[in-house]
């Protein structure tokens, strides 16, 4: 496996992380933000996918919801169930 897709993914992920942090900073002033969740999928020690999500407290009810901000899988590893596994892991965190 070439490291090029992983580098490209890391660059994309870093950009996503910067946008997520800016979003979190803006949102934190509303006191609705409960958590930021970042998950990475590793294959043979290399990052091949990632998920960024956040949990918000709802105004209308006494509960919170988790929203996916970004989900990406390296092109070389798509159709392997990596995105599904990341979402399943996020579901297990949210319950």
């Amino acid at each position: 496996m070439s490291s090029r897709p992983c580098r490209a993914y890391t660059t994309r992920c870093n950009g996503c992380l910067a946008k997520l942090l800016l979003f979190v900073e803006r949102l934190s002033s509303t006191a609705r933000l409960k958590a930021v969740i970042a998950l990475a999928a590793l294959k043979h020690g290399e990052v091949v996918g990632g998920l960024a999500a956040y949990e918000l407290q709802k105004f209308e009810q006494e509960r919170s919801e988790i929203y996916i901000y970004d989900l990406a899988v390296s092109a070389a590893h798509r159709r392997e169930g990596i995105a599904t596994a990341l979402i399943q892991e996020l579901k297990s965190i949210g319950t």
Side-chain angles (χ1 to χ4, degrees):
M1 176 175 86
S2 166
S3 63
R4 179 171 279 164
C6 290
R7 262 193 233 121
Y9 174 76
T10 302
T11 301
R12 181 171 186 266
C13 185
N14 287 342
C16 171
L17 184 57
K19 286 191 273 183
L20 178 62
L21 291 174
L22 181 61
F23 177 76
V24 165
E25 184 179 316
R26 290 180 185 158
L27 195 60
S28 63
S29 64
T30 68
R32 292 179 56 209
L33 184 68
K34 289 185 70 178
V36 174
I37 303 160
L39 301 174
L42 302 175
K43 191 169 189 178
H44 306 296
E46 292 190 55
V47 175
V48 295
L51 181 148
Y54 56 95
E55 184 178 4
L56 288 181
Q57 182 66 42
K58 301 300 285 182
F59 283 127
E60 70 277 3
Q61 297 178 9
E62 296 244 351
R63 65 183 176 94
S64 60
E65 290 184 355
I66 295 176
Y67 296 89
I68 295 174
Y69 181 79
D70 195 23
L71 174 63
V73 175
S74 174
H77 294 282
R78 293 187 182 144
R79 311 287 304 161
E80 296 178 12
I82 294 170
T84 301
L86 287 165
I87 292 170
Q88 291 302 322
E89 182 64 23
L90 181 64
K91 284 182 177 180
S92 73
I93 292 169
T95 56

